[in-house]
């Protein structure tokens, strides 16, 4: 499978169609793990791999937050269907246009983020939550496809995780999130790994005035995590990267999905499917409900 | 060094006895699905059959956030309140050697040009009972930085479980001696030294990674500018590595104000953040991410070593394990050492 990928990458680099291929490569000390690599030399395409441990959403390297990567030149990106959702969202938000990029899509049956569950193969039990209802196992747009097309999973998102949360009383939900956020160390790995957190200066880093205290105490942690979730509402494509990278295991994607469900119910919209769609929170229509403005 | 053996049912009895004596006991404990160092109210809450906590033990002496003073001007003039310097007598039970060893490394910086009393007083009030490792993974490289899975550095007492299940007790410091004296009966005189040696060898064999850190330093000393750094351009610029690290110690001083009163706080900060070096003018001398990552490596393996004679790393491997993009610090050092050779 990785072979086709390497051939495509080599050709793109050799022909000068792109200057860099953003892909996954093995972590040397733990070859069961992969990590993002930037391949600029056609002779190094052998480092590219594609397997169910290719969890990183590489779309993050396409944003202006990672300008040093863009300085390498035009990029080809290796992307799963869910990563392509992020690319679609970024195009919709006018971060770049489709022509600026070559997408090497990979047909995907799922990934395994939790290394402790990995026994050498993908199973029903170890694959990520997002993969259980995936409708983009063949990416919705690509220039080259690695592997045979994979049909979508024959099941719709049941929002089970979100419904369980909603069944709690407001007090219980409050306590639950307080307990979770309490241990946030404010490392901002969630933000740095997120393709949609590309602000040049995040509100959390602003100091004049300081909107969010940098102290890692419950008051500030709550402010940080809620603000981030709100800034991602209607934009987050539920790739789960923030949750995966959180070093203290806060279930961030549950929070994202709570908001995604609100947006799906209230606006009939899910992010990452259509780069032409008007984004729900950046669009004004005269017939919008205004009764709440007094 | 005095040698003893832990009596009774071992660790649980030790923890319960310390609590009974009125001490604040900190041990790895499960909170909301996350294993972390925290206060335990009984041995049942402690998890000592563990590998490593995700977060290091540095929080015990260097909290994530703390007030260095309080202020209040609601009455017209400004009233300043110094922080409390009363720290309860604390015993950390079950710190792994790579966690324990971070404390004497941190002593250098927190007592260097001035005495950071919040750190040193906490440190004085804290006694560390270390625990020899029984597992390791590919990211561990403590043996390359002069430590080992059964090293006593930073522990006041080190416990090593022997093949027969008994715990061999090494009393390392005067503080450890004082605690041992208080615990009296729990520490039986004498211990099977050859079994201890065997357990130590077994533990050391768990660490298979070996990096020539002094060779790497030789290279780092004169390769501030080198394309090797650019190869880590994938670094995302988060603080995951620094915040889980037992030896990273940067902090920021900020005022957190509510209305007319507030606190001046010492909050963790990280050199891997973009805004760590940004000037008021907007200029940033570390303008791209690999330069920030380079700072982390150079501070640990070059500057700190030059200034204090010790490496700012215990080889715990946490930064590599938790890096979202799989940057492995031992591999970075291997690359540096490899370049030095050629
Ligand atoms: S969500 Fe779909 S495309 Fe993404 S990793 Fe899972 S199965 Fe693959
Ligand atoms: S990754 Fe986790 S710990 Fe880090 S800032 Fe985000 S929520 Fe907090
Ligand atoms: S799941 Fe997390 S990382 Fe992915 S788009 Fe949503 S907020 Fe960003
Ligand atoms: S090395 Fe990894 S953990 Fe550290 S700042 Fe870079 S991406 Fe984050
Ligand atoms: S730099 Fe990495 S390996 Fe060294 S002490 Fe810090 S977290 Fe552990």
């Amino acid at each position: 499978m990785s072979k086709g990928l390497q051939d495509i990458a080599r050709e793109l680099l050799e022909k000068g169609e792109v200057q860099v291929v953003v892909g996954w490569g093995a972590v040397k000390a733990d070859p069961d793990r992969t990590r993002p690599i930037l391949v600029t030399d056609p002779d190094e395409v052998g480092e590219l791999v594609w397997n169910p441990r290719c969890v990183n959403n590489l779309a993050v390297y396409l944003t202006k937050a990672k300008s040093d990567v863009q300085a390498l030149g035009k990029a080809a990106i290796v992307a799963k269907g869910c990563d392509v959702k992020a690319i679609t969202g970024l195009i919709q938000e006018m971060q770049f246009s489709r022509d600026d990029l070559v997408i090497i899509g990979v047909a995907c049956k799922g990934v395994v983020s939790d290394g402790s569950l990995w026994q050498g193969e993908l199973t029903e039990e170890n694959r990520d939550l997002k993969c259980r209802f995936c409708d983009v196992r063949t990416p919705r747009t690509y220039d080259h496809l690695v592997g045979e097309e994979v049909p979508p999973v024959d099941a719709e998102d049941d929002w089970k995780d979100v419904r369980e949360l909603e069944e709690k009383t407001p007090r219980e939900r409050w306590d639950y999130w307080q307990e979770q956020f309490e241990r946030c160390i404010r490392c901002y790995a969630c933000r740095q790994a997120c393709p949609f957190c590309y602000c040049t200066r995040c509100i959390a880093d602003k100091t004049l005035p300081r909107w969010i205290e940098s102290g890692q105490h419950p008051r500030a942690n709550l402010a940080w995590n809620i603000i981030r979730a709100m800034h991602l509402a209607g934009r987050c494509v539920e790739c789960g990267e923030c949750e995966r990278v959180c070093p203290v295991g806060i279930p961030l994607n549950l929070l994202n999905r709570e908001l995604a469900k609100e947006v799906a119910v209230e606006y009939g919209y899910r992010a990452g499917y259509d780069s032409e769609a008007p984004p729900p929170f950046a669009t004004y229509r005269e017939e919008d409900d205004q009764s709440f403005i007094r | 060094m005095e040698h003893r053996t832990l009596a009774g049912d071992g660790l649980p009895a030790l923890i319960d006895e310390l609590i009974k004596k009125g001490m604040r006991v900190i041990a790895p404990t499960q909170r909301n699905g996350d294993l972390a160092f925290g206060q335990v109210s009984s041995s049942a809450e402690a998890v000592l059959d563990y590998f490593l906590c995700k977060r290091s033990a540095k929080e015990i002496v260097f909290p994530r956030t703390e007030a260095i003073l309080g202020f209040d001007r609601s009455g017209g003039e400004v009233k300043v309140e110094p922080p409390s310097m009363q720290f309860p007598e604390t015993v950390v039970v079950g710190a792994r050697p790579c966690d324990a060893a971070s404390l004497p490394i941190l002593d250098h910086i927190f007592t260097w040009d001035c005495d950071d009393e919040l750190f040193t007083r906490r440190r004085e009030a804290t006694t560390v009972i270390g625990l020899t490792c029984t597992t390791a993974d590919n990211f561990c490289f403590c043996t390359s930085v002069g430590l080992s899975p059964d090293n006593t550095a930073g522990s006041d007492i080190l416990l090593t479980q022997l093949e027969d299940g008994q715990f061999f007790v090494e009393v390392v410091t005067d503080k450890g001696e004082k605690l041992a004296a208080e615990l009296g009966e729990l520490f039986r005189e004498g211990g099977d030294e050859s079994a201890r040696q065997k357990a130590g060898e077994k533990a050391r064999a768990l660490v298979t990674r070996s990096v020539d850190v002094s060779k790497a330093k030789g290279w780092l000393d004169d390769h501030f500018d080198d394309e090797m750094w650019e190869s880590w351009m994938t670094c995302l610029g988060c603080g995951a590595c620094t915040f889980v690290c037992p030896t990273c110690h940067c902090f920021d001083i900020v005022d957190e104000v509510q209305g007319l009163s507030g606190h001046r706080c010492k909050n963790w900060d990280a050199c891997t953040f973009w805004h760590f070096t940004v000037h008021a003018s907007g200029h940033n001398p570390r303008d791209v991410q690999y330069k920030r990552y380079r700072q982390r490596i150079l501070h640990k393996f070059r500057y700190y070593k030059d200034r204090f004679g010790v490496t700012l790393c215990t080889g715990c491997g946490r930064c590599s394990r938790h890096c979202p993009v799989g940057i492995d610090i031992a591999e970075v050092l291997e690359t540096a050492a490899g370049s030095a050779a050629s």
Side-chain angles (χ1 to χ4, degrees):
Chain A
M1 207 191 302
S2 301
K3 198 68 199 204
L5 165 64
Q6 294 172 4
D7 293 338
I8 297 165
R10 178 190 295 279
E11 202 172 304
L12 288 168
L13 288 167
E14 272 173 355
K15 284 196 180 148
E17 278 184 55
V18 302
Q19 281 72 53
V20 57
V21 177
V22 185
W24 303 282
V27 174
K28 292 196 176 71
D30 184 0
D32 276 349
R33 260 177 76 174
T34 72
R35 64 182 171 200
I37 57 169
L38 306 169
V39 181
T40 50
D41 180 348
D43 291 338
E44 281 168 10
V45 295
E47 287 189 30
L48 289 166
V49 301
W50 158 235
N51 61 50
R53 297 304 312 282
C54 294
V55 289
N56 288 68
N57 183 346
L58 305 172
V60 70
Y61 293 108
L62 304 175
T63 67
K64 64 179 180 224
K66 310 289 180 292
S67 55
D68 41 342
V69 175
Q70 272 112 72
L72 297 174
K74 182 167 176 173
I77 184 170
V78 191
K80 308 181 288 289
C82 51
D83 305 334
V84 167
K85 282 166 73 180
I87 296 170
T88 303
L90 289 167
I91 294 171
Q92 181 188 24
E93 295 185 6
M94 293 187 234
Q95 294 308 300
F96 47 81
S97 65
R98 181 66 182 81
D99 307 334
D100 295 341
L101 184 70
V102 174
I103 300 176
I104 308 174
V106 288
C108 173
K109 292 195 174 118
V111 292
V112 185
S113 291
D114 183 347
S116 69
L117 300 178
W118 178 251
Q119 304 286 335
E121 62 176 351
L122 178 75
T123 65
E124 284 298 308
E125 289 68 42
N126 67 9
R127 65 178 173 174
D128 284 13
L129 178 73
K130 66 175 177 183
C131 307
R132 302 193 182 170
F133 305 104
C134 178
D135 55 0
V136 290
R137 300 207 294 181
T138 304
R140 288 166 59 93
T141 171
Y142 52 79
D143 300 294
H144 304 271
L145 184 68
V146 177
E148 298 290 313
E149 286 197 16
V150 188
V153 177
D154 189 20
E156 287 218 354
D157 193 346
D158 59 3
W159 300 105
K160 184 165 167 276
D161 50 336
V162 180
R163 281 188 291 113
E164 275 168 15
L165 182 69
E166 286 172 347
E167 275 159 24
K168 296 183 193 228
T169 65
R171 176 80 230 176
E172 286 167 346
R173 273 204 298 277
W174 173 259
D175 291 344
Y176 174 78
W177 287 114
Q178 285 288 47
E179 281 170 7
Q180 297 297 331
F181 296 153
E182 190 278 326
R183 66 174 182 275
C184 170
I185 51 175
R186 304 292 287 284
C187 67
Y188 302 121
C190 47
R191 174 185 78 186
Q192 297 307 103
C194 176
F196 292 96
C197 280
Y198 54 71
C199 292
T200 310
R201 192 159 193 171
C202 173
I203 189 168
D205 295 343
K206 289 193 176 151
T207 48
L208 288 170
R210 185 176 276 288
W211 299 99
I212 307 175
E213 294 159 316
S214 60
Q216 302 169 13
H217 43 68
R219 181 180 69 228
N221 289 354
L222 179 76
W224 158 243
N225 284 285
I226 297 290
I227 288 179
R228 198 182 99 84
M230 294 306 282
H231 285 184
L232 271 305
R235 305 169 63 222
C236 164
V237 294
E238 300 156 58
C239 68
E241 277 291 87
C242 47
E243 178 166 324
R244 179 184 72 80
V245 304
C246 176
V248 296
I250 300 174
L252 295 166
N253 212 18
L254 179 57
L255 189 61
N256 296 329
R257 278 172 54 77
E258 172 70 47
L259 288 161
K261 180 164 171 279
E262 288 292 307
V263 175
V265 171
E266 298 296 328
Y267 298 82
Y269 175 87
R270 286 195 85 173
Y273 289 89
D274 180 2
S275 60
E276 303 292 321
F281 295 129
T283 314
Y284 170 74
R285 269 184 298 197
E286 272 189 50
E287 67 269 27
D288 281 348
D289 177 21
Q290 293 174 8
S291 59
F292 62 94
I293 305 172
R294 277 174 241 243
Chain B
M1 226 186 268
E2 301 281 336
H3 295 161
R4 291 161 227 202
T5 306
L6 193 52
D9 67 350
L11 294 170
L14 173 66
I15 291 175
D16 290 328
E17 184 62 24
L18 290 166
I19 295 171
K20 213 167 90 195
K21 290 208 182 316
M23 282 173 231
R24 176 173 169 256
V25 174
I26 291 188
T29 178
Q30 202 79 40
R31 299 259 153 91
N32 306 312
D34 185 45
L35 188 71
F37 286 100
Q39 185 170 2
V40 294
S41 55
S42 90
S43 61
E45 291 173 22
V47 181
L48 292 161
D49 175 20
Y50 81 120
F51 172 38
L52 281 176
C53 294
K54 289 180 188 157
R55 283 183 270 148
S56 78
K58 75 177 169 192
E59 282 180 58
I60 299 163
V61 285
F62 174 39
R64 294 184 259 165
T65 179
E66 76 183 323
I68 59 173
L69 57 87
F71 50 84
D72 184 356
R73 59 185 187 98
S74 53
E77 61 196 90
V78 183
K79 277 198 297 219
V80 174
E81 185 82 39
S84 158
M85 285 290 175
Q86 302 303 313
F87 298 112
E89 207 176 317
T90 299
V91 182
V92 182
V93 181
R96 293 299 182 195
C98 55
D99 262 323
S102 71
L103 302 174
I105 295 176
L106 289 172
D107 285 343
H108 291 285
I109 189 80
F110 284 111
T111 58
W112 170 38
D113 47 357
C114 73
D115 178 12
D116 184 330
E117 285 180 71
L118 287 163
F119 176 91
T120 52
R121 294 287 176 81
R122 269 203 185 81
R123 184 87 164 85
E124 278 157 25
T126 306
T127 306
V128 179
I129 303 182
L131 188 61
T132 293
C133 297
T134 49
T135 30
D137 70 8
N138 283 348
F139 296 112
C140 294
F141 66 105
C142 55
T143 46
S144 301
V145 289
L147 297 167
S148 70
D150 65 331
N151 195 283
T152 55
S155 290
D156 297 296
I157 293 174
L158 180 72
L159 304 177
T160 304
Q161 190 160 29
L162 307 178
E163 214 158 33
D164 63 2
Q166 302 249 45
F167 285 91
F168 186 88
V169 180
E170 278 157 272
V171 178
V172 185
T173 63
D174 291 346
K175 218 191 237 174
E177 190 52 64
K178 196 171 145 255
L179 187 71
E182 277 182 57
L183 289 168
E185 312 271 277
L186 260 183
F187 288 161
R188 270 194 287 110
E189 287 296 328
D192 184 343
E193 274 186 58
S194 74
R196 160 69 181 87
Q197 288 315 326
K198 241 174 97 186
E201 273 160 36
K202 209 170 138 196
R204 288 192 294 275
L206 295 168
V207 182
T208 49
R209 201 85 184 265
S210 155
V211 192
D212 191 336
V213 169
S214 65
K215 206 173 203 177
K217 184 181 181 296
W219 186 87
L220 295 175
D221 279 344
D222 52 12
H223 288 84
F224 184 83
D225 287 311
D226 190 273
E227 60 188 23
M228 190 274 261
W229 300 115
E230 287 172 53
S231 65
W232 303 108
M233 198 185 274
T234 48
C235 170
L236 295 173
C238 63
C241 50
T242 55
F243 286 179
V244 297
C245 173
T247 55
C248 278
H249 53 258
C250 286
F251 59 83
D252 191 14
I253 301 281
V254 290
D255 288 351
E256 297 194 342
V257 190
Q258 277 104 46
L260 294 173
S261 63
H263 294 94
R264 178 154 296 176
C265 296
K266 176 177 159 193
N267 293 341
W268 281 5
D269 202 353
C271 59
T272 44
F273 287 151
W274 157 84
H275 54 85
F276 189 80
T277 45
V278 76
H279 296 177
S281 66
H283 171 69
N284 196 341
R286 294 185 198 141
D287 54 350
V288 287
Q289 192 54 39
Y290 76 81
K291 296 186 183 170
R292 297 167 205 140
Y293 184 67
R294 172 179 67 191
Q295 163 62 22
R296 182 164 195 268
I297 300 297
L298 291 181
H299 189 196
K300 290 189 169 293
F301 299 96
R302 178 176 153 189
Y303 312 140
Y304 207 83
K305 176 84 176 171
D306 285 343
R307 187 176 304 280
F308 301 119
V310 293
T311 298
L312 187 62
C313 171
T314 66
C316 72
R318 275 192 183 84
C319 52
S320 313
R321 239 170 258 123
H322 294 293
C323 174
V325 295
I327 295 179
D328 171 9
I329 196 165
E331 184 185 337
V332 176
L333 294 167
E334 278 157 8
T335 312
S339 307
S342 60

